[in-house]
Amino acid sequence: MRTIIAAGLLLAGLSISPKVSRADIPPPVPEPKSIPVKIYLDEKAKESRILVPQNLTTVRFRPVRPGLPPNAGNVPPPTSPLPTSPAPGSAPPKADIDTDTPVSQIEADVEYAAEPIKNPNHLMIAGVALTMGLGCGGVWLLRRPDASTLRGVVLLVASGVVLCGSTLLWANAPPPVRPPVVGKIDLPILSDGKMKLEVLQGGDTISIILDKETYAKLQKEAK
Amino acid sequence: MSTLPLSKPDQGRLFAGGFAFIAVLAAMLAGWIPIAFSIATVFLFAGPHNWLEARYILGRLPARTGKLWPFFAVSFLGIVGLTAGFALIPSYLRNSSAMLEAESLYGIWDSVFLVWLATLVTMRSRTNPRFEAGWVWPLMFMLVAGVWLEPFAFGFALVYLHPLMALWLLDRELRRSHREWLPAYRRGLLVMPMLLLALVARLHSSPNLPGDDPVSRAITGHAGDWFLAGVSSHLLVALHTFLEMVHYGVWVVLIPLVGYRSRAWELETIPVARRGGVWRKAVVVLLLFGLLLVLTLWSCFLLDYGTTRSVYFTVAMLHVLAEIPFLLRMI
């Protein structure tokens, strides 16, 4: 009797677990936070770039090991972008841009770093392994000599059916509608164009490298 | 320890207190100055802990393999083969004609490791004391499925779980040699989850560690900051360094205290050395070579810490794998 009650409670718990776990809820928007920003001028650059450390994004890639070529895989290599010395004869760049603006609210028309390419065979191998695991597990349970095996098998099958059924019922709901993002920044625009976005391994500072043309435009607008 | 005027349970409490002291000190330093502590602990204890581990294993290995020779053969092949494979993956990837990418290679390595582990558990279950191990193959296949969905996750699981193996080994050693201390030691183990939770609570919202130099990047990379991008690297390095220091503390202080039946340099308690002749000389050469490696490691750390650390943690896979069959024999 106790076993039946315990099994019933377990099955009831499993039936609501997909709803309770809320696996379809998207992660929360990160809180705004102040991060260091440095602006460089590279007179030899052909385009402006914005370099964001990986820790400030949700992009993930393998680190480049010492001595290993950066393209040892499908991920675009992080480059070493920072000019090592300021352009000769140039004035230090002025921070015309509000460096305290939270990252999540900056609007920029940027290209995002390419996502790593997933090998489709991996999913197939995982599926085969899972199938073999379930098969071996079933054979092991059935070959066990003790009397509790049949109860265990029945409980396992019932748990699986309940979990699958409740997942189909509950867990395919679309994610809730997120409140609209805060509107545009109400400040004069000094530059409206494109920048190449690169994600760096390590570091905690966003670096903006301006090419000569963009810097000249910013100086003109600032006046 | 046996000459102290204390009862055996009190000796056990003192031992457990020593363990807890090491753990608390490690947690405080790892949370406060993770990078510096990581550099110091690896420099000081990496080599000596490997030597003391080898000495302990030699003291516990039988003089002859006898009917256990298949177990030892599979263990040896796995340890050497998997270590070599792990070390060769980066150089294979450097090859312009490499046909497989990193995810596939690490998926293959992880799968071979799991098959090896399942084979060892099955072989061990068929020798005394016997136990039922049919569950290991379904579990192995489930883990292989997980590994192919996320190849790098298993590697990081090994990085964080391996230090805990020393605690399990110490438990088995106490069961064998100081059974009366076991209850106190197991109560003392409760500080581990408490300290881990304390580190997470204190550091989960801390900013990432600064420093773009190669050593800092190697340390944070080894702790998995690129893989767990949403987690503070300060927390990750603190957790990893704490676990590593506990691991070193167990091997360098606690296991020699209870597990050696003689002084480290006395060979009479090493069964293989008691066979005499060339076996004794081989044990002496092995231990002296180990000492030479420790001194070389220290010298290389002083010359180029970053490169030496990277090379060490690749080669150190050998000792991680060697602990597995040894632990299985102690269960």
Side-chain angles (χ1 to χ4, degrees):
Chain A
M1 186 61 190
R2 264 187 288 184
T3 310
I4 294 172
I5 293 171
L9 286 171
L10 173 66
L11 292 176
L14 282 174
S15 69
I16 63 169
S17 63
K19 173 104 173 122
V20 170
S21 63
R22 305 183 70 174
D24 57 349
I25 301 297
V29 176
E31 290 291 322
K33 60 180 179 181
S34 184
I35 45 171
V37 175
K38 287 184 183 170
I39 303 172
Y40 299 85
L41 169 63
D42 184 359
E43 294 197 344
K44 293 178 188 168
K46 291 181 184 167
E47 59 180 345
S48 297
R49 288 180 290 161
I50 180 166
L51 306 153
V52 182
Q54 183 212 0
N55 288 330
L56 299 176
T57 73
T58 54
V59 173
R60 200 179 75 199
F61 53 77
R62 271 179 300 105
V64 178
R65 288 196 192 186
L68 200 63
N71 56 344
N74 295 329
V75 180
T79 55
S80 175
L82 300 173
T84 51
S85 55
S90 64
K94 291 179 188 172
D96 293 324
I97 296 171
D98 180 10
T99 56
D100 284 335
T101 305
V103 172
S104 59
Q105 292 181 16
I106 290 176
E107 278 197 357
D109 192 5
V110 296
E111 289 177 48
Y112 287 91
E115 289 290 332
I117 301 163
K118 285 267 186 193
N119 190 327
N121 293 327
H122 290 187
L123 199 57
M124 179 190 69
I125 297 171
V128 169
L130 200 59
T131 307
M132 291 184 70
L134 288 170
C136 286
V139 168
W140 170 63
L141 275 174
L142 288 171
R143 287 184 66 181
R144 288 187 71 187
D146 24 59
S148 62
T149 300
L150 187 61
R151 269 211 301 268
V153 171
V154 168
L155 190 61
L156 194 65
V157 170
S159 305
V161 168
V162 167
L163 194 60
C164 289
S166 54
T167 301
L168 285 171
L169 187 64
W170 294 113
N172 64 344
V177 175
R178 190 174 274 165
V181 178
V182 173
K184 282 191 179 181
I185 301 165
D186 188 20
L187 292 167
I189 295 175
L190 294 177
S191 173
D192 186 3
K194 288 194 178 187
M195 281 192 188
K196 190 170 177 184
L197 175 69
E198 292 179 15
V199 180
L200 296 181
Q201 174 192 339
D204 59 358
T205 302
I206 292 180
S207 303
I208 300 174
I209 301 175
L210 301 174
D211 62 327
K212 213 170 159 184
E213 195 185 321
T214 308
Y215 182 58
K217 266 191 205 169
L218 283 171
Q219 283 186 312
K220 194 177 162 185
E221 288 296 326
K223 287 170 190 172
Chain B
M1 273 296 216
S2 59
T3 59
L4 283 174
L6 291 172
S7 65
K8 287 189 177 174
D10 285 338
Q11 289 173 11
R13 286 186 203 105
L14 191 63
F15 181 82
F19 165 75
F21 174 74
I22 290 173
V24 168
L25 192 63
M28 284 170 53
L29 288 170
W32 180 35
I33 41 169
I35 296 281
F37 189 50
S38 175
I39 291 171
T41 53
V42 172
F43 173 77
L44 288 171
F45 301 119
H49 110 276
N50 286 132
W51 191 90
L52 289 164
E53 197 175 319
R55 170 62 180 86
Y56 176 72
I57 289 175
L58 277 175
R60 290 288 176 207
L61 277 176
R64 287 176 171 78
T65 56
K67 289 181 184 174
L68 294 176
W69 71 265
F71 181 84
F72 284 109
V74 171
S75 301
F76 179 78
L77 282 171
I79 291 166
V80 172
L82 285 166
T83 303
F86 186 77
L88 288 172
I89 286 175
S91 56
Y92 173 82
L93 289 171
R94 248 175 259 139
N95 193 337
S96 56
S97 60
M99 287 179 1
L100 295 172
E101 77 284 7
E103 285 82 358
S104 295
L105 284 171
Y106 283 105
I108 292 169
W109 190 94
D110 294 341
S111 304
V112 172
F113 169 81
L114 287 168
V115 170
W116 174 71
L117 181 59
T119 306
L120 286 179
V121 173
T122 305
M123 293 173 86
R124 171 62 188 86
S125 71
R126 290 174 186 166
T127 56
N128 289 327
R130 294 169 194 263
F131 59 89
E132 208 281 315
W135 50 269
V136 78
W137 293 99
L139 181 62
M140 185 275 291
F141 281 118
M142 298 285 191
L143 289 173
V144 168
V147 149
W148 281 97
L149 290 173
E150 197 54 80
F152 297 117
F154 188 75
F156 284 111
L158 271 185
V159 166
Y160 281 89
L161 290 176
H162 150 251
L164 300 176
M165 280 176 62
L167 301 178
W168 195 358
L169 273 161
L170 180 55
D171 183 276
R172 304 313 295 180
E173 177 56 42
L174 286 173
R175 189 183 167 88
R176 187 190 293 251
S177 58
H178 293 79
R179 197 176 267 264
E180 307 81 9
W181 296 6
L182 212 46
Y185 169 70
R186 287 179 177 170
R187 282 196 293 273
L189 281 177
L190 291 172
V191 300
M192 289 296 293
M194 289 196 295
L195 289 170
L196 287 168
L197 281 171
L199 281 171
V200 171
R202 183 73 180 84
L203 298 173
H204 74 278
S205 58
S206 57
N208 289 323
L209 290 168
D212 275 342
D213 56 287
V215 173
S216 299
R217 280 172 56 175
I219 293 172
T220 54
H222 195 219
D225 74 328
W226 63 274
F227 185 72
L228 300 166
V231 181
S232 163
S233 63
H234 189 159
L235 172 61
L236 289 173
V237 174
L239 285 175
H240 181 236
T241 308
F242 161 64
L243 291 171
E244 281 289 341
M245 185 58 222
V246 168
H247 179 83
Y248 291 150
V250 168
W251 277 111
V252 173
V253 177
L254 299 178
I255 287 184
L257 212 55
V258 300
Y260 289 10
R261 289 173 287 170
S262 65
R263 294 186 180 82
W265 54 88
E266 290 173 356
L267 304 182
E268 297 314 315
T269 52
I270 299 179
V272 174
R274 283 207 298 268
R275 288 177 71 175
V278 68
W279 292 99
R280 188 181 178 87
K281 286 177 189 161
V283 167
V284 170
V285 166
L286 187 67
L287 290 174
L288 286 175
F289 181 66
L291 279 175
L292 181 65
L293 283 179
V294 171
L295 294 170
T296 307
L297 188 67
W298 275 334
S299 306
C300 291
F301 272 135
L302 287 170
L303 290 170
D304 184 344
Y305 183 88
T307 306
T308 306
R309 186 190 169 102
S310 298
V311 171
Y312 170 76
F313 276 111
T314 303
V315 176
M317 178 60 69
L318 190 134
H319 99 277
V320 172
L321 296 169
E323 285 180 7
I324 293 171
F326 185 68
L327 181 60
L328 283 173
R329 288 305 315 165
M330 289 185 81
I331 294 173

